[in-house]
């Protein structure tokens, strides 16, 4: 096979060349699949005082392949602060190709300025998500719906002329009452959707960012909730809505009253005077809003006063209430400068606090030392849905998992928030047509991949639903929770096996079975997952620490069966 130069890719200062810490660089190269024998990295000190750079060679590891490409990777440990480098590619015909500056050459230039460079490893630019994040499995709570209080539901309060509503009547005290239950399921973190005073039951149209919604409780209740979570050695992340606010947020209310004379008119985006609150959902509002939601005006997050207001908010939440971090709603619609400013403020107060972006597309742009530690891994969720709805096969699943892993810097692949169901999406159980085996296989795979995990309340029941009115229903604690023991088991496996937190990963397909291996400190776990068609396995049953839809007698994985081997 002839060498295919079009398949080769390396990008400086990207997910192909990045610092893991102040002394370690990770370098990657992509080539056409099954097209090269080996790749060698040559690196040296850019600031070397010798006329010619003294290069050190590292044979790069062939890590994984998708349907089109193979990915090579290596670590430069005890690295120089400034690194100059190039690649030597050995093709299948035993010909060498030198690759640098995005081109191929017959020989290596003696001028170091012609080669690839990592200009300087600055500690400020090394993205290092707090280590506790990758260790955390979050139980995600939608406050109004987690525990149903029907006698307290569908309530309307009038607070200073503003109507605030609930639907199912859940409160902060209800969450506190279930913390031991959550802990017993094996979760070590709680992620809570918005709690601040707002008009609608979902609380994404905030009126007062410094006051807990009275239908949920008080600021004192919230402080007590955080304290009780911490007493159980658990972390707490809360949902912040900073892209937009509610109709009766004080600044927007002032714009309505004073129009162009309002001192807050620059706090909002796309104002087209006169400003008013449309009476029907069909009418396009005279201001930019969240989507088409007329009651959620978009904030101008490039305005310094807005930035200072929200810096004060996060400071208060970190110092007075001691939360451990924030999930940032609609974060991909907010300007980078705002997130950089907020990140600076948050890390100044608490370096271990996390910022998790709500991003439905490729999150690479936001995952760095300047902005976010993590993002909701919706792209992984999309892939899982395709596979478990039988739209793609095992090989295609493997290819997608490989692509998703290599498009992020390594440290962020291990900090992404992996999800299957969220408060914004249909329940995964309903998406797979209530297939118990698919459901358990999907969560087993989710728990086996690098990253932190968020499990929406009620998955242990499981709560069902495709429409919002259904998938935000409360848990019925009076009935047996069918998957409670399952979540206890996979949480236990993850907790007791460090290789599922920090371990390396290999993703392959053998005999039409997905095979994922995680290894750390000479300990390895292996996950085997079948697709639509069952497969016989040649394995020692005594190695199995978990299985679903597997025949011990016949050594066979049935349809969408899974085993985890020690």
């Amino acid at each position: 096979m002839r060498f295919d130069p079009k398949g080769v890719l390396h990008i400086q200062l990207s997910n192909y060349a990045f610092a893991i810490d102040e002394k370690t660089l990770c370098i990657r190269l992509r080539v056409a699949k099954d097209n090269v024998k080996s790749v060698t990295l040559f690196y040296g000190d850019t600031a070397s005082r010798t006329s010619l750079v003294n290069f050190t060679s590292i044979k790069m590891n062939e890590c994984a392949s998708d349907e089109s490409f193979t990915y090579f990777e290596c670590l430069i440990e005890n690295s120089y602060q400034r690194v100059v480098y190039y690649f030597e590619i050995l093709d299948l015909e035993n010909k060498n190709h030198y690759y640098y500056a995005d081109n191929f050459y017959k020989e290596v230039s003696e001028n170091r300025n012609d080669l690839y460079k990592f200009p300087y490893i600055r500690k400020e630019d090394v993205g290092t998500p707090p280590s506790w994040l990758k260790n955390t499995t979050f139980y995600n709570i939608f406050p109004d719906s987690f525990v149903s209080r029907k006698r307290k539901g569908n309530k309307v309060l009038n607070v200073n002329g503003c109507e605030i509503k609930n639907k199912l009547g859940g409160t902060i005290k209800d969450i506190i009452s279930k913390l031991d239950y959550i802990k017993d399921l094996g979760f070590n973190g709680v992620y809570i959707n918005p709690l601040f005073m707002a008009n609608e039951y979902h609380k994404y149209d905030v009126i007062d960012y410094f006051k807990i919604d009275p239908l949920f409780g008080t600021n004192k209740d919230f402080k007590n909730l955080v304290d009780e979570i911490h007493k159980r050695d658990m972390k707490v992340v809360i949902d912040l809505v900073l892209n937009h606010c509610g109709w009766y947020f004080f600044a927007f209310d002032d714009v309505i009253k004073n129009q162009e004379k309002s001192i807050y008119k620059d706090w909002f985006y796309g104002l087209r005077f006169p400003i008013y609150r449309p009476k029907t959902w069909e009418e396009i509002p005279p201001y930019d809003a969240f989507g088409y939601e007329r009651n959620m005006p978009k904030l101008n997050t490039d305005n310094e006063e807005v930035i200072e207001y929200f810096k004060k908010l996060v400071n208060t939440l970190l110092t007075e209430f001691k939360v451990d971090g924030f999930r940032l709603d609609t974060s991909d619609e907010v300007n980078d400068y705002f997130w950089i400013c907020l990140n600076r403020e948050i890390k100044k107060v608490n370096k271990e606090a996390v910022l998790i972006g709500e991003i439905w597309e490729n999150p690479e742009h936001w995952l760095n030392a300047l902005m976010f530690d993590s993002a909701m891994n919706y792209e992984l969720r999309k892939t899982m849905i395709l596979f478990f709805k039988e739209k793609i096969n095992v090989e295609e699943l493997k290819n997608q998992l490989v692509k998703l892993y290599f498009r992020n810097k390594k440290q962020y692949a291990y900090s992404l928030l992996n999800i299957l169901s969220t408060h914004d999406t249909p329940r995964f159980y309903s998406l797979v047509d209530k297939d118990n085996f698919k459901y358990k296989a999907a969560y087993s795979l989710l728990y086996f991949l690098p990253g932190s995990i968020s499990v929406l309340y009620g998955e242990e029941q499981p709560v069902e639903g495709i429409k919002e009115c259904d998938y935000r229903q409360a848990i019925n604690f009076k009935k047996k929770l069918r998957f409670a023991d399952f979540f206890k088991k996979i949480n236990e496996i993850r907790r007791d096996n460090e290789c599922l937190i920090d371990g390396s990963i290999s993703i392959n397909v053998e005999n039409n079975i997905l095979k994922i291996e995680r290894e750390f400190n000479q300990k390895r776990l292996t996950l085997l997952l079948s697709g639509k068609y069952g497969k016989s396995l040649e394995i020692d049953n005594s190695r199995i620490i978990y299985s679903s839809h597997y025949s011990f007698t016949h050594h066979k994985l049935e349809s969408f069966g899974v085993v985890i081997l020690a």
Side-chain angles (χ1 to χ4, degrees), residues 427 463-474:
R427 292 282 180 162
V463 171
E464 301 172 18
I466 298 296
K467 296 181 179 180
E468 181 181 303
C469 58
D470 296 319
Y471 61 69
R472 290 183 184 174
Q473 285 296 311

Side-chain angles (χ1 to χ4, degrees), residues 290-347:
F290 166 63
Y292 299 101
E293 299 288 347
R294 59 185 179 138
N295 62 338
M296 299 185 195
K298 184 174 177 63
L299 288 153
N300 178 14
T301 48
D302 198 50
N303 180 284
E304 293 294 341
E305 292 178 358
V306 173
I307 293 170
E308 289 303 315
Y309 179 84
F310 285 124
K311 284 169 66 174
K312 180 182 177 183
L313 172 65
V314 296
N315 197 300
T316 299
L317 292 168
L318 291 167
T319 57
E320 295 184 19
F321 295 96
K322 308 294 184 184
V323 301
D324 299 299
F326 308 100
R327 180 267 192 185
L328 301 160
D329 186 70
T330 326
S331 49
D332 54 351
E333 295 186 20
V334 176
N335 56 314
D336 291 354
Y337 175 66
F338 177 82
W339 292 132
I340 292 168
C341 293
L342 210 70
N343 178 301
R344 285 280 179 99
E345 183 68 20
I346 290 169
K347 298 299 185 180

Side-chain angles (χ1 to χ4, degrees), residues 12-67:
Q12 291 176 271
L13 301 174
S14 74
N15 56 312
Y16 282 85
F18 55 92
I20 291 177
D21 56 45
E22 291 178 71
K23 285 292 185 181
T24 309
L25 281 180
C26 182
I27 304 294
R28 292 169 172 169
L29 185 75
R30 190 198 76 186
V31 300
K33 184 178 180 181
D34 299 328
N35 195 237
V36 306
K37 281 188 175 180
S38 66
V39 178
T40 304
L41 175 76
F42 290 83
Y43 74 94
D45 182 2
T46 309
S48 169
R49 295 187 177 186
T50 58
S51 59
L52 297 177
V53 175
N54 181 27
F55 286 98
T56 300
S57 66
I58 302 177
K59 185 175 181 180
M60 300 185 73
N61 297 315
E62 182 177 334
C63 294
S65 296
D66 57 32
E67 71 273 25

Side-chain angles (χ1 to χ4, degrees), residues 119-365:
Y120 198 96
I121 303 178
R122 287 190 62 96
K123 62 181 180 181
E124 302 89 349
D125 293 334
V126 177
T128 309
S131 60
W132 64 263
L133 181 58
K134 63 187 175 184
N135 286 279
T136 305
T137 52
F138 291 99
Y139 190 83
N140 176 201
I141 294 174
F142 194 75
D144 178 74
S145 307
F146 173 43
V147 177
S148 175
R149 300 283 186 179
K150 291 184 178 179
R151 287 177 298 175
K152 296 182 180 180
N154 294 314
K155 194 171 184 179
V156 178
L157 283 184
N158 190 296
V159 180
N160 299 325
C162 301
E163 285 189 349
I164 62 172
K165 308 168 188 175
N166 69 8
K167 192 171 184 180
L168 298 182
T171 68
I172 288 174
K173 288 182 179 178
D174 292 324
I175 298 174
I176 294 173
S177 73
K178 293 295 183 182
L179 289 179
D180 287 336
Y181 161 79
I182 295 168
K183 180 79 173 177
D184 185 59
L185 284 175
F187 294 95
N188 59 355
V190 180
Y191 150 42
I192 309 174
N193 294 115
L195 289 162
F196 301 108
M197 192 167 86
N199 292 108
E200 298 296 331
Y201 83 100
H202 51 66
K203 306 306 170 189
Y204 281 91
D205 56 335
V206 182
I207 296 171
D208 190 338
Y209 286 90
F210 290 85
K211 183 177 181 179
I212 294 297
D213 194 287
L215 289 171
F216 289 158
T218 65
N219 285 22
K220 185 177 179 180
D221 291 335
F222 178 49
K223 178 68 169 66
N224 188 31
L225 170 62
V226 175
D227 290 344
E228 289 297 323
I229 290 171
H230 286 158
K231 282 180 185 177
R232 291 162 175 80
D233 196 27
M234 301 165 75
K235 299 290 187 180
V236 56
V237 165
I238 64 169
D239 208 339
L240 282 189
V241 188
L242 309 182
N243 172 69
H244 50 271
C245 62
W247 258 356
Y248 295 96
F249 177 55
F250 79 93
F252 191 74
D253 202 40
D254 190 85
V255 172
I256 292 289
K257 292 173 181 176
N258 297 302
Q259 296 294 313
E260 291 175 275
K261 294 181 180 180
S262 172
I263 61 174
Y264 298 107
K265 67 180 185 295
D266 293 332
W267 280 40
F268 298 92
Y269 216 82
L271 297 184
R272 298 173 289 280
F273 293 98
I275 304 301
Y276 58 91
R277 299 180 179 105
K279 293 182 179 180
T280 65
W281 290 105
E282 292 77 19
E283 187 176 357
I284 297 175
Y287 47 84
D288 287 2
F290 166 63
Y292 299 101
E293 299 288 347
R294 59 185 179 138
N295 62 338
M296 299 185 195
K298 184 174 177 63
L299 288 153
N300 178 14
T301 48
D302 198 50
N303 180 284
E304 293 294 341
E305 292 178 358
V306 173
I307 293 170
E308 289 303 315
Y309 179 84
F310 285 124
K311 284 169 66 174
K312 180 182 177 183
L313 172 65
V314 296
N315 197 300
T316 299
L317 292 168
L318 291 167
T319 57
E320 295 184 19
F321 295 96
K322 308 294 184 184
V323 301
D324 299 299
F326 308 100
R327 180 267 192 185
L328 301 160
D329 186 70
T330 326
S331 49
D332 54 351
E333 295 186 20
V334 176
N335 56 314
D336 291 354
Y337 175 66
F338 177 82
W339 292 132
I340 292 168
C341 293
L342 210 70
N343 178 301
R344 285 280 179 99
E345 183 68 20
I346 290 169
K347 298 299 185 180
K348 181 177 71 176
V349 177
N350 181 4
K351 289 183 179 179
E352 289 296 299
V354 298
L355 294 86
I356 303 171
E358 183 204 10
I359 298 167
W360 291 64
E361 60 272 15
N362 185 346
E364 182 193 355
H365 169 78

Side-chain angles (χ1 to χ4, degrees), residues 443-444 447 486-495:
Y443 267 109
S444 299
Y447 269 67
F486 165 72
F487 280 104
K488 286 181 183 180
K489 181 62 177 179
I490 57 173
N491 275 322
E492 176 190 320
I493 291 172
R494 184 175 170 87
R495 182 190 66 230

